[in-house]
Amino acid sequence: MREKFEKIPPPLQKQIIMRCGAALVSLLLMVVSLLLEGNLYLSLSVLLFFAFYGFSALQLLYRAVTDQIVVIRGHCTGLEKTPMRRRIKTLYLWSDPHTVKIQIAGRLRNVDEGDIITVYTATGTPVYENEGCQQLSTYLAIDILKGRGSK
C-alpha cells in the first residue's frame, strides 16, 4: 500500500494526511472528553467529526489510487481578489484550448500571473460555461509552481 501512496501526487498526499490528522485529533478529543466529562452526547458529537474526516480521507485515497482524478495544468492569466482583505477568490488558468475559471476555497497565497498551476479534481466534477470560460467550482488540491509560464 505504501508504494501506491507514494505514486499519488504530493498535493493529494498532503490533503490525505491532513484529513487523517483531523480524524485522529477528533478521535483523541472524543476519548479525552469521555474520560474527563463522562458526557456521552459530547463524545458522540466529536465521534461524528472523526467519521466525517476519516471517510473523507479514505474517499480521497480511493480516488487517487484508482485514477479517478483529473489533472488540469496551465498558467495563471488573471486573479480576482476580495475588496477589503485582498484575498484571492477567483483564479483564471489558461489550459490549452480553454481558459478555466476556478473559485478558490480557503486561502491561497503567493500566486501571480504567469505562475504554472496544477489543479486536481475528481472525474465527475461538473464544469460550466460562464463568461467565455470553463468554470470549475470545486477541486481536491492545487499546486503552484512559481515562475513564468509560456504564453
Side-chain angles (χ1 to χ4, degrees), residues 35-113:
L35 293 176
L36 293 180
E37 275 302 310
N39 188 347
L40 183 62
Y41 293 114
L42 177 64
S43 298
L44 287 177
S45 65
V46 178
L47 183 65
L48 289 175
F49 284 110
F50 168 73
F52 172 77
Y53 285 117
F55 178 74
S56 176
L58 289 174
Q59 183 182 28
L60 183 55
L61 179 64
Y62 175 77
R63 285 185 174 174
V65 168
T66 58
D67 291 330
Q68 295 180 9
I69 302 293
V70 176
V71 179
I72 304 168
R73 179 173 288 135
H75 66 276
C76 179
T77 58
L79 302 167
E80 287 182 14
K81 296 184 178 184
T82 58
M84 295 294 259
R85 299 193 66 188
R86 307 299 297 161
R87 289 187 178 175
I88 299 171
K89 69 175 185 176
T90 305
L91 181 102
Y92 291 92
L93 177 71
W94 172 251
S95 180
D96 195 30
H98 300 287
T99 299
V100 181
K101 181 179 178 182
I102 303 167
Q103 299 294 121
I104 300 299
R107 192 174 230 174
L108 191 62
R109 298 182 186 169
N110 298 329
V111 179
D112 297 315
E113 290 185 19

Side-chain angles (χ1 to χ4, degrees), residues 116-133:
I116 299 171
I117 298 176
T118 307
V119 178
Y120 300 91
T121 186
T123 53
T125 303
V127 178
Y128 302 102
E129 179 73 30
N130 185 12
E131 300 172 0
C133 301

